Each structure stands twice: as C-alpha cells, then as structure tokens.
Amino acid sequence: MADSRTTRSEGLGASSPAPAVTRAAAVLEALADSPSGRLTLSDLSRELGIPKSSTSNLLLALEEARLITRQGADFALGRKLVELGAAYLSRLDEVQEFYKYCEQAPTLSGETVRIAMLDGDHVIYLARYEGHPAVRLTSNIGDKMPVSLCSVGKALLAQLHDHDIEAMFPDGMELPTMTANSLRTAEELKAQIATIRKQGFAFEDEESTVGVVCLAVPVPTHGAHGPSLGLSVTALKATYSEEQGALMVKELKELARSLGNPMG
C-alpha cells in the first residue's frame, strides 16, 4: 500500500529548474531531521518519492562530494557541511563582532552567550561564546529551537506585528514543551510577549532546561530584508540574581546596538 504522506520532493520535478539539486537538498534535510541522524536507502527513497535506483545515484554523488557519508547500510550528513557552514559564518560580520565583544565584556565574558536567527517558528543558533564551561546543556551552533521554548525566540517574536504572531500562534494552539515550566498555550506565549515589549528583554525560567535561566534581546534589523537576529545569555539558576541579570541585559543591549548599527 502506498505511503499517504507528502514526500519532500513531491511536485518539484517539473517546476524546479534543477530537479537533481532539489532532490539533493531534500536528502540533506531528511538526514538533518532524522532523530538518529541516519537513514537507509529505502528510507530516503520513500522520503523523496522516487525509485531506489535514482536515489542510489543521488546518494553516490553526494557521497563523492563529501556532503553525506555511508555508515554500513545507513547514510548520515558529511563533514563537508561543517566546512561550508563555518565558511558561511566566517563571512557574517555580525558573528565576528559578536565574538570580539563577548571576549572583552566585563560580565558576558564569563558567561555562555549565543547569537541566533529567526527562521519561521524556530530559531537557528549561529554562534556560541563559551565563557562559562558549567553551562553546556543548552543549544549548540546549528541547532534549531521552537521560538516559544527559548528567550531569544520570544525576544524576536516580540518584534513582529501582532497579526503575524496571531497567524503563527492562534488562540487555543498547544505549544511544544521540554520542562514543567515550558509555556503550554498560545495565550501564555502572547501574554509573555506583551511583557517582553514593556521591559525590553525576554527572560526564560527553566523553560527548556531544568536549572538554567536565559535572557535575550533582539538586534536592530539591517533594513527591510535583513536577517532577524537575537542575542541570549545563559546562567545557572542556583547562582543567578536580578543584579547579575541587569548587568547581562545592559551588555546584551550594547552588543545588539553595535551589531545593528556598526557606525553608531
């Protein structure tokens, strides 16, 4: 019986100017989304909705380019993607400035700080400054996180128009959860966004990781088509204080202004 799911490449064959590239991208996305990080030829054939012979040729080409690697009967993402990702990040002026500032900041230099980009209803972490080796339970570079589960996601949501937020999170919608403190409904999220707009920063209280709190601010946007970037700092709740938080937010806002307007 045929699988009724929509495949990743369904309908793209005729409309795409380069179907092979479209399917190759679908392979990489499928491997990235796999909980184990591995998929078999049969798995990928089903994901793409194309015959095994075509999938096999596609995988061979990706393997030769080191974009994927073979592990027995399974396939996984290749190290070449790390090199490409690093090359992309190295050319983002914001990322380079981020590291320079964190190293010199009186408070942030001793903390775990990250810069993230809004991607729909998720954020993607672009860089991570390791100033506090004890806080390693949080997201790494390249990780994606639902916006409702992290302070930087909520800080970026607060910059959107209300009608855009409503379209993404209609009343009654249930949110993903990771701890007992995670927000559970769209109504809770929108109430917190109102608070973020008033106080000028977002605060996450053990909502994604037990024992960890996080503060975040948005970076002023580079023009109408610039990326939506945000900054966050993580701290252990056992040692966190409001005084420490105030210093963190002050430096995060200074860094955000620097990244958003380098000439200012």
Side-chain angles (χ1 to χ4, degrees):
M1 183 174 179
D3 192 339
S4 61
R5 296 178 307 164
T6 299
T7 60
R8 293 176 185 268
S9 60
E10 185 173 328
L12 293 177
S15 61
S16 173
V21 175
T22 301
R23 289 170 175 170
V27 168
L28 299 178
E29 289 179 1
L31 291 172
D33 291 343
S34 171
S36 67
R38 300 182 181 186
L39 291 172
T40 65
L41 170 61
S42 297
D43 294 332
L44 290 164
S45 177
R46 285 193 296 271
E47 285 280 348
L48 272 64
I50 61 176
K52 285 185 180 180
S53 58
S54 300
T55 305
S56 179
N57 290 335
L58 189 59
L59 295 176
L60 179 60
L62 288 171
E63 187 178 6
E64 289 180 349
R66 296 193 295 126
L67 294 172
I68 66 171
T69 182
R70 193 190 303 261
Q71 300 177 355
D74 297 335
F75 294 89
L77 295 176
R79 293 185 180 180
K80 184 66 176 179
L81 293 170
V82 178
E83 298 174 17
L84 296 174
Y88 169 76
L89 293 175
S90 70
R91 287 162 176 77
L92 283 181
D93 292 339
E94 292 91 345
V95 171
Q96 299 307 309
E97 183 64 26
F98 164 80
Y99 282 118
K100 290 179 184 177
Y101 183 93
C102 290
E103 290 171 356
Q104 301 170 2
T107 301
L108 296 184
S109 60
E111 306 296 339
T112 299
V113 192
R114 291 166 295 174
I115 182 170
M117 178 175 66
L118 186 64
D119 181 32
D121 58 359
H122 284 67
V123 297
I124 301 174
Y125 291 98
L126 302 179
R128 174 179 172 128
Y129 171 81
E130 293 279 2
H132 195 318
V135 187
R136 293 186 178 273
L137 300 177
T138 53
S139 301
N140 296 307
I141 296 173
D143 284 352
K144 295 183 72 172
M145 176 77 77
V147 289
S148 62
L149 282 170
C150 56
S151 61
V152 69
K154 289 181 285 189
L156 289 171
L157 274 185
Q159 303 302 298
L160 302 181
H161 293 294
D162 286 339
H163 61 81
D164 292 326
I165 297 173
E166 185 61 36
M168 294 171 65
F169 300 100
D171 286 349
M173 178 179 178
E174 294 185 3
L175 304 176
T177 60
M178 293 180 69
T179 74
N181 281 12
S182 300
L183 300 182
R184 298 182 179 277
T185 67
E187 290 87 344
E188 290 177 323
L189 175 61
K190 284 178 276 194
Q192 198 167 105
I193 287 173
T195 300
I196 292 167
R197 287 171 173 169
K198 290 179 182 178
Q199 65 189 16
F201 66 92
F203 180 71
E204 174 197 335
D205 186 5
E206 297 185 283
E207 294 167 42
S208 61
T209 305
V210 174
V212 173
V213 299
C214 192
L215 301 99
V217 302
V219 174
T221 302
H222 281 285
H225 302 291
S228 296
L229 301 176
L231 300 164
S232 64
V233 57
T234 304
L236 295 173
K237 183 164 185 178
T239 58
Y240 175 78
S241 67
E242 290 188 5
E243 293 77 13
Q244 178 191 21
L247 292 173
M248 290 175 170
V249 169
K250 177 177 179 293
E251 292 184 6
L252 282 179
K253 288 184 174 181
E254 289 176 355
L255 175 54
R257 284 193 294 270
S258 175
L259 296 179
N261 181 16
M263 300 303 292

